[in-house]
Amino acid sequence: MAKFLRDLLDAEEPLFSLAIRQLEKASGQHGTDTKLIGEIIQKTHSSMSELGLDHTDTTGREYYAALMNRIHEDNERVTGLVGGTDSAAVRELIPLIIKAAESVDTPMDCWVLKRSVGKELLKKMPPQKLMQHLGYKSIDSMLKHEDFDELYTALRFSEGPEWLNAYNELFKEITPSDFEKRRIRIIAMDHDKYVGLTEHFVQKKRHNVTHTKEMGTIVVVPMHQERMRGITLKTLPLLFHYINEIRLYSAFFKFKQVNKNFGEIVVETLLADPGNASQMAGQYVHWRVIQRYFGKIDDEPHPEAFQPHVHPEDLHWRR
């Protein structure tokens, strides 16, 4: 049975089978992989039936074509729901998609770096390439006249990995008092100012949304493309994904504020995002896995339980 999952995940043996055995021993739950395989098969058959296909007589190409047709229909429907008239018009839809995401009743608070602290960090290490791109000779002048959240996100497009790694090292000196609670902000970057900088990102990632976890900002980056099929169905879920990502790391930083090496933890998270928040069966477990696990607990009482929509201030702290 493990072979089915191994092939789906393209996992390496014998590490994959060994990890399953270790997890079974640690949790006391056996046969979970078999249950998961059954669930995957059942959901696949169910989706085929919903598409009007017979799972006993459907090829992969037929299934793929049916799914693509369903995606087209769903994109048209969601485009109408957000107020759009042309399901491929990028400039028309981006503001509507952002407005729709902001109107949904979902927690948007986060615990992130104060903007004033971010400005001081940039003054210590001015981003020369970005300043040149925007036509500034003074970092103070750029900070005064430009949207700071937009500037901060643009750093990853303008300065290069060496500068970014060196800049992130500055976070070693920050303390929990440099953070604050505020609302996640979703913005669309100025097209004319930044489209030249973001071109490589869009080509590499195949989408146009990014975020800065330490600043609590989600950014829809500009593209040269004026039309894109499926733009609504691609962008809207990504916005919700990054809302959860920011809140995930917001909770992580809040938990870690009691550590003496808080600044080093922030640096390590920004540079490498290590998956060593906890251990199970001798394997490190990423903070994301822990969050998702507790997020599935609805009625079971648990002293450490929290859900992804609970703000870090509401988490049960243990010291």
Side-chain angles (χ1 to χ4, degrees):
M1 286 297 183
K3 182 180 183 301
F4 181 88
L5 291 178
R6 183 198 66 197
D7 292 343
L8 284 179
L9 299 172
D10 194 24
E12 294 183 6
E13 290 288 12
L15 296 178
F16 181 68
S17 295
L18 177 61
I20 288 181
R21 289 196 296 270
Q22 289 177 328
L23 288 170
E24 287 179 336
K25 182 178 179 181
S27 65
Q29 298 182 20
H30 298 275
T32 301
D33 57 333
T34 304
K35 294 178 183 177
L36 177 59
I37 292 168
E39 182 180 339
I40 292 172
I41 294 174
Q42 187 274 326
K43 287 184 175 180
T44 301
H45 291 175
S46 177
S47 71
M48 285 184 174
S49 297
E50 188 177 342
L51 293 169
L53 302 174
D54 181 354
H55 70 83
T56 64
D57 187 31
T58 299
T59 66
R61 287 182 177 274
E62 290 171 338
Y63 190 26
Y64 178 79
L67 287 171
M68 291 300 292
N69 184 62
R70 175 61 181 270
I71 289 173
H72 172 74
E73 293 174 352
D74 286 346
N75 187 68
E76 293 288 332
R77 178 174 56 84
V78 178
T79 295
L81 289 174
V82 302
T85 57
D86 185 339
S87 63
V90 174
R91 292 210 186 189
E92 173 198 342
L93 290 171
I94 292 303
L96 296 174
I97 293 170
I98 292 176
K99 182 179 179 181
E102 292 177 330
S103 67
V104 172
D105 184 18
T106 187
M108 295 283 282
D109 288 338
C110 58
W111 194 68
V112 288
L113 191 71
K114 294 176 180 176
R115 291 188 176 95
S116 59
V117 176
K119 291 178 181 180
E120 291 302 316
L121 291 176
L122 284 184
K123 288 180 181 180
K124 292 181 180 179
M125 194 172 168
Q128 298 296 334
K129 292 181 180 179
L130 183 58
M131 290 170 61
Q132 182 179 5
H133 176 79
L134 295 175
Y136 290 98
K137 294 182 179 180
S138 164
I139 181 66
D140 291 308
S141 180
M142 185 173 73
L143 292 175
K144 180 180 179 180
H145 292 96
E146 300 293 335
D147 182 293
F148 180 70
D149 291 338
E150 198 172 42
L151 278 179
Y152 199 90
T153 305
L155 296 173
R156 67 182 58 188
F157 307 129
S158 64
E159 301 308 303
E162 290 186 6
W163 187 94
L164 290 171
N165 288 339
Y167 172 76
N168 285 334
E169 290 290 336
L170 298 178
F171 280 78
K172 287 183 178 179
E173 305 302 321
I174 66 171
T175 65
S177 63
D178 294 322
F179 280 61
E180 67 179 358
K181 174 185 173 182
R182 65 170 180 265
R183 183 177 173 83
I184 293 171
R185 187 182 178 205
I186 307 175
I187 59 175
M189 292 184 81
D190 186 288
H191 183 276
D192 295 336
K193 287 182 181 179
Y194 296 107
V195 69
L197 290 179
T198 60
E199 183 177 8
H200 177 70
F201 172 86
V202 174
Q203 290 178 346
K204 180 180 179 181
K205 298 293 186 179
R206 300 295 182 183
H207 65 75
N208 62 326
V209 183
T210 187
H211 76 309
T212 53
K213 59 176 69 73
E214 70 272 29
M215 294 302 299
T217 307
I218 301 171
V219 175
V220 181
V221 304
M223 303 183 295
H224 286 295
Q225 290 175 262
E226 295 185 356
R227 300 186 63 77
M228 176 182 284
R229 291 189 304 166
I231 183 69
T232 306
L233 211 57
K234 177 185 291 186
T235 304
L236 190 57
L238 277 173
L239 294 182
F240 291 120
H241 164 74
Y242 283 122
I243 288 172
N244 190 58
E245 279 285 290
I246 288 174
R247 288 179 57 78
L248 181 153
Y249 287 101
S250 169
F252 179 70
F253 291 146
K254 191 68 179 289
F255 272 131
K256 295 297 183 179
Q257 69 172 313
V258 297
N259 292 48
K260 293 182 179 180
N261 62 333
F262 174 73
E264 294 179 2
I265 292 173
V266 173
V267 171
E268 189 178 36
T269 302
L270 295 178
L271 289 176
D273 192 19
N276 57 359
S278 185
Q279 278 189 313
M280 182 175 182
Q283 301 291 322
Y284 284 118
V285 180
H286 194 280
W287 174 254
R288 180 178 290 104
V289 176
I290 298 172
Q291 185 217 34
R292 288 179 179 175
Y293 169 77
F294 283 109
K296 293 180 179 179
I297 299 177
D298 292 323
D299 301 321
E300 301 175 34
H302 199 290
E304 295 85 22
F306 63 93
Q307 296 189 10
H309 62 267
V310 176
H311 194 272
E313 278 80 353
D314 298 325
L315 301 183
H316 184 89
W317 285 68
R318 302 181 72 185
R319 298 173 184 257

